[in-house]
Amino acid sequence: QKEVEQNSGPLSVPEGAIASLNCTYSDRGSQSFFWYRQYSGKSPELIMFIYSNGDKEDGRFTAQLNKASQYVSLLIRDSQPSDSATYLCAVAPGYSTLTFGKGTMLLVSP
Amino acid sequence: DGGITQSPKYLFRKEGQNVTLSCEQNLNHDAMYWYRQDPGQGLRLIYYSQIVNDFQKGDIAEGYSVSREKKESFPLTVTSAQKNPTAFYLCASSLGPILNTGELFFGEGSRLTVL
């Protein structure tokens, strides 16, 4: 069973701080990695994807990938209360589907 | 507007009844998916379809059935064989294979409650 592990949280950070969300995966052959954000009662939406080792930045978001350690992270700089949501890590172990982690709840306090 | 439409948004069912959840997309996407989400859980794949008239089981297909007779439509039937069907069901689509495009577009979900 291919697994994607995340700390369920909640992760609480004050407004303006950096939030760090982490994810590990079991399938060493996985090639693409995604972060989805899901607000309570809503459907997930893609915020970042990364294919290569290293960092990828998009505005306040940075995705980090370390394939040797089978580790993916998402950094959110200058966190805002509107960032409060559950963040789902997803991995493509093959060609056709995504495997999701259980998600980490992020709470940003004003 | 292009998107994915799921219906109904809320559904109540008595034990032993089959129920069908509708999913329609006008994005001209080839691939469609059904996921189930339970409280505090991630998304688990039920079925997916890469092309019309073809579909594959996901990780938790038992007690579910699907069809893909049209590119735009991918209905999910929750049968009486599904032991614990109360959940939030999400339909999604992608332009092509996940490895290439990476993005799933989700509908707003259908919340099924078994009484």
Side-chain angles (χ1 to χ4, degrees):
Chain A
Q1 179 79 12
K2 301 179 177 67
E3 294 183 347
V4 178
E5 299 288 341
Q6 295 181 257
N7 188 321
S8 61
L11 172 66
S12 296
V13 300
E15 184 175 358
I18 295 175
S20 177
L21 304 160
N22 305 315
C23 170
T24 59
Y25 59 94
S26 63
D27 186 352
R28 189 171 286 279
S30 299
Q31 299 185 46
S32 42
F33 309 87
F34 309 88
W35 284 98
Y36 282 77
R37 177 176 63 201
Q38 185 176 26
Y39 292 112
S40 181
K42 302 295 185 182
S43 55
E45 55 181 339
L46 180 69
I47 53 172
M48 289 286 289
F49 63 89
I50 186 167
Y51 300 144
S52 304
N53 275 331
D55 295 359
K56 179 181 178 182
E57 188 174 316
D58 184 1
R60 296 187 296 114
F61 298 97
T62 299
Q64 300 175 318
L65 173 62
N66 184 325
K67 288 186 177 181
S69 300
Q70 296 175 242
Y71 178 90
V72 193
S73 65
L74 179 70
L75 300 178
I76 306 175
R77 291 181 299 281
D78 188 22
S79 295
Q80 301 297 310
S82 58
D83 294 326
S84 297
T86 296
Y87 289 80
L88 300 167
C89 175
V91 174
Y95 190 70
S96 304
T97 65
L98 288 183
T99 299
F100 285 83
K102 293 183 179 180
T104 298
M105 181 183 292
L106 172 66
L107 299 175
V108 181
S109 54
Chain B
D1 274 16
I4 299 177
T5 302
Q6 288 187 242
S7 63
K9 193 169 184 177
Y10 298 96
L11 185 62
F12 297 88
R13 179 195 109 177
K14 293 182 179 179
E15 280 193 32
Q17 289 181 335
N18 292 357
V19 62
T20 297
L21 308 180
S22 170
C23 179
E24 303 278 333
Q25 57 102 354
N26 60 3
L27 299 168
N28 199 32
H29 285 176
D30 289 318
M32 297 186 75
Y33 310 80
W34 274 105
Y35 285 91
R36 167 180 173 146
Q37 187 173 36
D38 295 282
Q41 302 293 313
L43 279 64
R44 291 185 290 168
L45 183 63
I46 304 173
Y47 269 98
Y48 66 101
S49 167
Q50 299 291 310
I51 56 172
V52 174
N53 292 322
D54 188 46
F55 49 83
Q56 286 76 42
K57 292 181 179 180
D59 299 320
I60 56 165
E62 184 175 353
Y64 299 98
S65 66
V66 294
S67 63
R68 187 87 187 275
E69 298 176 359
K70 299 185 298 182
K71 188 175 184 177
E72 311 81 53
S73 179
F74 192 41
L76 173 74
T77 297
V78 184
T79 76
S80 57
Q82 168 51 234
K83 298 304 179 188
N84 186 19
T86 295
F88 187 47
Y89 290 88
L90 286 160
C91 179
S93 69
S94 64
L95 183 60
I98 284 294
L99 198 61
N100 293 346
T101 66
E103 183 167 10
L104 290 177
F105 292 83
F106 286 90
E108 292 191 343
S110 292
R111 194 170 296 279
L112 172 64
T113 302
V114 174
L115 304 173

